[in-house]
Amino acid sequence: MDDQNQEHKSDGSDFSDEADTLNYVLYRDRPEWKDVQPIAQDDGPAQVVQIAYSNKFSDVFDYFRAVLKSGEKSVRVLGLVTDALTLNPANYTVWIYRLEIVKHLKVDLHNELEYISNVIREFTKNYQVWQYRKTIVEMLNDPSGELEFTADILDMDSKNYHAWQYRQWVLTAFSKLMENELNFVDNLISQDMRNNSAWNQRYFVVNNSDPNNDVINKELEYTFGKIQILSKNESAWNYLRGLLLYSENGIFEDKVREFCSKLYNKGNRSTHLMSCLIDLTDADESTNPENVEKIKFALKLCSDLASVYDPIRRFYWEYISKDIELKFNFREHDTKIM
C-alpha cells in the first residue's frame, strides 16, 4: 500500500454522517485488516459496573489499541483514527496519535485544518479539539482564518469559553491581529451588554495594549455610556473596577466617583452602583476629619443594601460595614476619625 500517494478520503467532510451506519463494515470484517490482531479493553477482574459499549465502539478501539501498540502509521490507520475520534472526540491519546500520523505521512495541513474545523463545529466545547487546532495552526504558522472561524463559533454561543480562550491565544501569538479586536468586541457588547465574555475580552485587549491614561480615560467614557443604558449590568461594573487598577495615584477615582454620585443623586439604586460607591470610600486611606461624611455615607449604603436593596446578602453588607468601622476606627456618633 502506497501511504504517501493514496488519497485520504476521511478528511472530516463526512464527520456529521456518523449516524448513517447502514453500510458500515466492522474492522474485524474488513479483509485489509486481517493482518491485525485486535486488543480488547482490559477493565480488570473486578468490574463494579461494566460499560455497555456498542459493537462499533468496541471494534474501533480494539483495533486502535492494536495499532497503537505496533506503532503503525499509515493511511488506513489515519482512517481508523478518524473513526475513533468520531466516536469519542475527547480521547486525548487518539488525538496525539493522529498528530504523529499526520506528521509521518506529511498530510496536507490545510486539509487537516478543514477536518478539525468540521469536528469543532460538532463539538464546540471539547478541550482536546481546540488544542489540536492550535497545534495545526502553529505548524502552518498561518492564522489568517482563525479570527473568522472563532467568530463563527461564538455566533453559535457567544460565551463559549474554549472559543474565547483559543481566540486569545491567536491574538497573543500573532499580535498584529489585535488591532481590530476592540471593534469585534464592541459589536458583541452592542448586541448583548450582559455578555460578560465580551467584556472580559475587551479587558484582555486593553491589558495587552500597554494602555496609557488617554486609553483608560476613553474606556471609562465608553463604560459610563453602557452603564447609563443598563445600570444593573454587573459585567460593565466589573469592567469599570478593572479599569481603576490602572489609576496611578488614584487619578481616575475622582472621575468614577463623580459619575457614580450623579447616578445616585438622580435616584438610581442599582446594587452595583451602591457597591462601587462603598468600594471607592473603602479604598480611600485618608483619615482626615473631612472624610467623616464619606464614611458615614458608605455605612448608610451598607445599611440600605442590607435592609432594602440587597437583603439576600444582608450578612455580607453587615460584615462590610463593620470592616469599614474597624478600618477607620469609626463609630456612627463620632464627629471625627480617631
Side-chain angles (χ1 to χ4, degrees):
M1 182 181 296
D2 188 351
D3 292 343
Q4 296 296 330
N5 297 323
Q6 182 170 334
E7 180 182 359
H8 172 220
K9 296 182 180 179
S10 297
D11 60 358
S13 60
D14 58 346
F15 195 88
S16 60
D17 297 332
E18 174 197 347
D20 183 13
T21 60
L22 293 177
N23 298 318
Y24 181 81
V25 178
L26 295 174
Y27 279 84
R28 64 173 176 260
D29 296 327
R30 301 183 187 187
E32 67 271 25
W33 284 88
K34 292 299 183 182
D35 60 310
V36 177
Q37 180 62 43
I39 299 175
Q41 180 167 313
D42 182 6
D43 290 327
Q47 299 179 34
V48 178
V49 179
Q50 186 173 2
I51 299 175
Y53 296 115
S54 68
N55 287 334
K56 181 178 179 180
F57 189 96
S58 296
D59 178 69
V60 168
F61 278 91
D62 287 354
Y63 276 85
F64 173 73
R65 279 184 286 273
V67 297
L68 184 64
K69 182 178 180 179
S70 68
E72 180 182 342
K73 298 177 180 68
S74 62
V75 170
R76 71 172 183 174
V77 174
L78 186 55
L80 171 68
V81 165
T82 300
D83 285 342
L85 291 170
T86 301
L87 293 167
N88 183 8
N91 193 313
Y92 184 71
T93 302
V94 182
W95 283 112
I96 291 295
Y97 201 62
R98 182 183 183 92
L99 184 61
E100 293 179 10
I101 297 170
V102 165
K103 291 179 179 178
H104 179 76
L105 298 181
K106 296 182 173 58
V107 172
D108 187 329
L109 294 179
H110 291 94
N111 290 342
E112 194 66 9
L113 189 62
E114 183 179 354
Y115 163 77
I116 193 60
S117 296
N118 291 327
V119 179
I120 289 176
R121 289 188 181 99
E122 289 286 331
F123 303 95
T124 61
K125 296 184 178 181
N126 181 311
Y127 172 79
Q128 285 79 9
V129 298
W130 287 101
Q131 180 62 31
Y132 188 78
R133 185 181 187 90
K134 174 177 178 287
T135 302
I136 297 301
V137 170
E138 284 178 324
M139 293 168 65
L140 281 168
N141 194 31
D142 178 12
S144 57
E146 298 313 286
L147 294 186
E148 182 180 357
F149 177 77
T150 53
D152 288 343
I153 301 300
L154 291 170
D155 190 49
M156 297 164 57
D157 177 5
S158 62
K159 299 182 181 182
N160 185 317
Y161 168 78
H162 300 282
W164 279 117
Q165 185 182 50
Y166 178 79
R167 189 178 180 92
Q168 290 187 357
W169 169 78
V170 172
L171 293 169
T172 303
F174 305 95
S175 56
K176 290 184 179 180
L177 298 176
M178 189 79 77
E179 58 187 22
N180 294 318
E181 190 65 6
L182 275 185
N183 291 332
F184 172 74
V185 173
D186 184 42
N187 287 333
L188 290 180
I189 292 175
S190 297
Q191 294 169 19
D192 177 12
M193 281 190 287
R194 291 186 173 89
N195 187 342
N196 56 296
S197 297
W199 283 101
N200 179 72
Q201 184 73 353
R202 190 175 189 94
Y203 188 80
F204 168 81
V205 175
V206 171
N207 187 54
N208 282 275
S209 64
D210 193 21
N212 54 37
N213 288 345
D214 290 339
V215 170
I216 299 304
N217 190 60
K218 183 178 179 180
E219 286 301 299
L220 285 174
E221 294 295 338
Y222 175 87
T223 311
F224 291 164
K226 299 302 182 185
I227 289 175
Q228 286 176 320
I229 297 172
L230 189 62
S231 64
K232 294 183 178 181
N233 176 19
E234 185 176 6
S235 299
W237 285 104
N238 288 337
Y239 184 71
L240 185 65
R241 284 181 167 87
L243 293 175
L244 286 177
L245 296 177
Y246 294 98
S247 181
E248 296 181 7
N249 300 318
I251 59 174
F252 291 118
E253 287 184 6
D254 286 342
K255 183 182 182 74
V256 174
R257 184 180 287 107
E258 180 182 0
F259 167 76
C260 292
S261 297
K262 285 182 178 179
L263 274 184
Y264 183 85
N265 291 335
K266 289 180 179 179
N268 192 307
R269 293 300 182 268
S270 161
T271 58
H272 306 301
L273 165 63
M274 297 168 74
S275 176
C276 187
L277 283 167
I278 293 170
D279 288 344
L280 287 168
T281 301
D282 197 22
D284 191 342
E285 298 294 337
S286 171
T287 56
N288 295 326
E290 27 310 352
N291 202 37
V292 171
E293 293 305 316
K294 291 181 181 179
I295 298 174
K296 284 184 176 180
F297 179 59
L299 295 176
K300 178 185 182 304
L301 290 174
C302 287
S303 176
D304 289 346
L305 283 164
S307 60
V308 180
Y309 300 105
D310 194 18
I312 196 170
R313 296 197 299 166
R314 62 186 182 278
F315 296 118
Y316 170 77
W317 293 118
E318 288 171 1
Y319 167 81
I320 294 298
S321 179
K322 292 177 182 177
D323 186 63
I324 292 174
E325 290 180 349
L326 290 173
K327 178 178 179 179
F328 295 100
N329 194 22
F330 180 79
R331 296 295 179 271
E332 185 177 356
H333 301 294
D334 289 348
T335 58
K336 67 178 181 178
I337 302 174
M338 303 303 294

